[in-house]
Amino acid sequence: MKIIVCVKYVPDAQAGRRFEADLTTDRAGVDGLLSELDEYAVEEALVVADAIGATGERPQVVVLTVGPEDAAYAIKKSLQMGADAGVHVDDPAIQGSDAVATSRIVAAAIAAQSPDLVITGMSSTDGGTGVVPAMIAQRLGLPQLTYAAELTVDAAAGTVRIRRDGDTSVETVEASLPAIVSVTDQINEPRYPSFKGIMSAKKKPVTRLSLADLGIPAEEVGLAAAWTRTVAAEPRPPKAAGTVITDDGTGGAQLVEYLVSHKLV
Amino acid sequence: MSAVLVLIEHDGGPVRKAGLELLTLARRIGDPVAVVIGPEAAAAAPLLAEHGAGRVFAVDATEVLDHLIAPAAETLAQLVAVTSPVAVLLPSSSSGKEVAGRLAVLIESGVITDAVDVELQPDEGSQIGSVIATKSAFAGAFATRCTVTHGIPIVCVKPNAVAPQEAPVESVVEAFIPEISAAARAARITGREPREASGRPDLAEASTVVSGGRGTNGNFAQVEALADALGAAVGASRAAVDAGWYPHANQVGQTGKTVSPQLYVAAGISGAIQHRAGMQTSKTVVAINKDSEAPIFEMADFGVVGDLSAVLPAAIEEIRKRRP
């Protein structure tokens, strides 16, 4: 059995994220990390692998990323956490790809691995569209179970079941394997890499693939081929400083006075 | 005029405000055609007609409602073929975005999510002009304007992008029964437990939100009381949710809900970037925190440095006093 985890290397939210001149995300000039929401996906894959491994053959956990040279760090961190192998799709022609093109690349890389289960995070923390896993599922024709707060895999029966906590109801969703599951940050507590994990990660195999390896023509992805375009990106003007008072017993009343004077109450 | 397909997410209850906002935005582009997906879908039609939907497709087939996401995308793709729209608008909810993503692959079109505004820009190259969506990027640090350059523009719009406007039209309501593929029926919803309703407005749609954070020390009673005095929804910071003080469904921030209400009250929330990502587009921000150095004050229109246990009851009392 094989589990693929899709991970993304993103600019650190604390590091002053910005755009390039062509209005794509600056991925080189800003420190990056493994997208925090993907840590939950890696952790869940390890939990599922351990559970299945306790009574039978432990599934292989393969982490997959698409991104430039530096994105190798997202794989490295996942291997340190305990994943078994990595696949890194890196090709200069990918730069500036939109969600639709990204999903095509990821779907092709997944298909080449023939996994039984694909686990993703609920969204990236940079672009944050949250649509790529749904697009991958659509392309691969796989059942998709999204926003899992709890995941149960029955390897013998070849089924997967999740709990998803919606606004108005809590749903149970089931499907047969192979399937693709996205997990929320409520599903687990991601582990920190242990010293042993960090040392053993150095020996784990990472396969690097180009677009040609996946059979995708370079001119069909990247910024020039994107189906969406950012035509302007402007820093939001800094907010004019507001009024800050120190409570002297009238703070609550002054707050309400502010709301009333601005017709907010 | 040209058709603009609008997905109305429907749970069988009253039509949500976000749907009426989508219809209002759709009228800037063309003639709204509503696609209502949910139980008792046709019941939503009269209110949609009052907001400009001249044609309403009601979809409540069990094979759509009992499976996750994919059937809704196939339904929309089939209605795109029927109505030849110039744009498709969807709610930028978690499910709305997933439907949009699948639709983009199905009809080979570009998709924009998390829009806070949509307008039509005259364009010499095309008959109707370009659909331009405004969104915020990097936790609100940038405002971007985006357009779709291939296919039919698919745009997901966040709640509170516009005030819903009435525009009554004669409406044709049609029950639509889509053909759903076996692949789209592969993820089955096998259980549905309704959550207990709080009786408060929906967090994502509310025009006022009162949120509590670490500074509440786990006591949300005063946060809820202020919310009720203001007719507001209750939110919580990640710290408060992680501590188990409030449900995750109420979390505001990067990994929770993004809100853009008229008024956001942050009680005992420091204002980490993770939280700001979820509320940066609020029109007015009021903060109460005992730490005068808390970053939330940098973005507050009005701030009180003080103890929640003193300021919140005083504010609630003052509101009651001013009510006739």
Side-chain angles (χ1 to χ4, degrees):
Chain A
M1 187 176 181
K2 187 187 275 187
I3 303 172
I4 289 191
V5 189
C6 300
V7 299
K8 188 176 185 187
Y9 179 75
V10 299
D12 187 346
Q14 311 288 348
R17 295 176 291 182
R18 58 185 181 246
F19 290 96
E20 299 269 19
D22 64 3
L23 302 183
T24 60
T25 301
D26 182 353
R27 299 188 183 282
V30 178
D31 285 345
L33 38 70
L34 169 62
S35 182
E36 187 203 335
L37 291 171
D38 294 344
E39 291 186 17
Y40 299 92
V42 174
E43 176 66 30
E44 196 60 21
L46 298 173
V47 169
V48 169
D50 287 345
I52 295 171
T55 54
E57 195 187 339
R58 189 178 189 279
Q60 189 192 20
V61 176
V62 178
V63 286
L64 164 66
T65 200
V66 175
E69 183 79 39
D70 289 350
Y73 175 79
I75 290 180
K76 183 176 151 191
K77 171 87 185 277
S78 307
L79 296 177
Q80 291 175 343
M81 287 174 71
D84 302 301
V87 175
H88 183 179
V89 185
D90 179 11
D91 195 306
I94 294 171
Q95 199 268 338
S97 291
D98 61 358
V100 175
T102 302
S103 73
R104 182 173 170 195
I105 299 164
V106 177
I110 290 172
Q113 296 275 332
S114 305
D116 301 279
L117 179 63
V118 180
I119 303 181
T120 74
M122 58 194 264
S123 166
S124 65
T125 57
D126 55 350
T129 63
V131 298
V132 171
M135 289 174 168
I136 294 167
Q138 183 69 40
R139 288 180 183 281
L140 296 175
L142 291 178
Q144 187 189 21
L145 304 88
T146 62
Y147 291 88
E150 191 181 309
L151 167 63
T152 313
V153 179
D154 186 334
T159 57
V160 58
R161 185 175 73 240
I162 67 156
R163 189 193 86 223
R164 72 200 302 263
D165 299 337
D167 289 337
T168 55
S169 63
V170 175
E171 293 169 333
T172 306
V173 187
E174 298 180 46
S176 299
L177 297 173
I180 175 167
V181 177
S182 67
V183 302
T184 72
D185 61 339
Q186 298 300 298
I187 197 164
N188 57 42
E189 200 58 57
R191 69 194 69 185
Y192 289 101
S194 65
F195 179 71
K196 191 171 155 237
I198 291 169
M199 295 314 287
S200 65
K202 293 174 180 168
K203 299 189 202 81
K204 291 175 178 173
V206 177
T207 308
R208 288 175 70 103
L209 298 174
S210 67
L211 287 172
D213 293 328
L214 296 172
I216 296 174
E219 65 276 14
E220 292 181 13
V221 299
L223 182 60
W227 291 353
T228 51
R229 177 139 314 179
T230 301
V231 292
E234 280 165 19
R236 201 175 284 279
K239 247 184 135 161
T243 309
V244 179
I245 61 160
T246 299
D247 182 32
D248 56 1
T250 64
Q254 288 190 62
L255 190 159
V256 173
E257 176 57 37
Y258 176 86
L259 298 181
V260 169
S261 66
H262 288 76
K263 300 192 167 52
L264 290 165
V265 63
Chain B
M1 288 288 269
S2 337
V4 177
L5 217 50
V6 177
L7 174 63
I8 306 290
E9 288 186 322
H10 188 59
D11 60 9
V15 177
R16 303 182 70 171
K17 190 168 66 119
L20 307 179
E21 294 167 3
L22 288 179
L23 293 174
T24 302
L25 289 172
R27 290 197 291 114
R28 294 179 180 176
I29 303 168
D31 297 323
V33 175
V35 182
V36 188
I37 299 184
E40 309 291 332
L47 190 60
L48 302 178
E50 271 178 42
H51 290 78
R55 199 169 175 190
V56 177
F57 291 99
V59 182
D60 50 16
T62 53
E63 57 179 4
V64 176
L65 306 190
D66 290 351
H67 299 89
L68 218 50
I69 310 295
E74 289 190 349
T75 301
L76 279 182
Q78 286 161 32
L79 285 170
V80 164
V82 170
T83 61
S84 305
V86 292
V88 183
L89 301 187
L90 304 92
S92 205
S93 57
S94 53
S95 53
K97 293 205 288 187
E98 291 182 337
V99 172
R102 285 175 174 272
L103 180 65
V105 171
L106 280 169
I107 66 170
E108 300 193 348
S109 295
V111 57
I112 296 168
T113 64
D114 304 290
V116 293
D117 198 9
V118 180
E119 59 200 338
L120 191 64
Q121 194 176 66
D123 179 356
E124 285 180 21
S126 78
Q127 285 183 327
I128 65 140
S130 302
V131 175
I132 303 280
T134 305
K135 54 188 283 187
S136 70
F138 302 149
F142 286 81
T144 62
R145 286 162 62 80
C146 309
T147 188
V148 169
T149 53
H150 187 277
I152 300 162
I154 302 169
V155 184
C156 299
V157 187
K158 298 215 289 189
N160 293 326
V162 68
Q165 283 163 10
E166 290 191 4
V169 286
E170 290 284 326
S171 187
V172 181
V173 185
E174 301 164 53
F176 183 74
I177 300 170
E179 281 178 33
I180 304 302
S181 70
R185 282 184 269 121
R188 307 176 307 278
I189 300 171
T190 54
R192 210 178 247 141
E193 289 283 320
R195 290 177 91 103
E196 204 177 318
S198 69
R200 298 192 179 92
D202 179 84
L203 178 58
E205 295 187 355
S207 57
T208 304
V209 174
V210 180
S211 288
R214 201 186 298 276
T216 63
N217 290 318
N219 180 3
F220 263 70
Q222 296 293 342
V223 173
E224 291 183 333
L226 178 60
D228 292 341
L230 292 169
V234 175
S237 74
R238 183 169 184 176
V241 171
D242 282 354
W245 298 340
Y246 223 68
H248 180 250
N250 296 72
Q251 184 174 318
V252 173
Q254 175 103 55
T255 61
K257 299 269 165 22
T258 50
V259 300
S260 49
Q262 294 296 319
L263 170 64
Y264 188 86
V265 181
I269 293 175
S270 67
I273 190 155
Q274 204 280 344
H275 188 74
R276 297 209 301 270
M279 45 69 74
Q280 189 105 20
T281 51
S282 303
K283 307 288 183 299
T284 300
V285 175
V286 169
I288 309 147
N289 203 300
K290 66 175 190 228
D291 175 11
S292 64
E293 302 290 315
I296 192 78
F297 286 123
E298 291 165 20
M299 61 180 303
D301 298 280
F302 188 85
V304 181
V305 180
D307 203 327
L308 291 186
S309 60
V311 178
L312 292 181
I316 294 161
E317 178 60 27
E318 184 70 19
I319 292 169
R320 291 208 181 111
K321 236 191 275 175
R322 287 169 180 257
R323 288 264 157 82

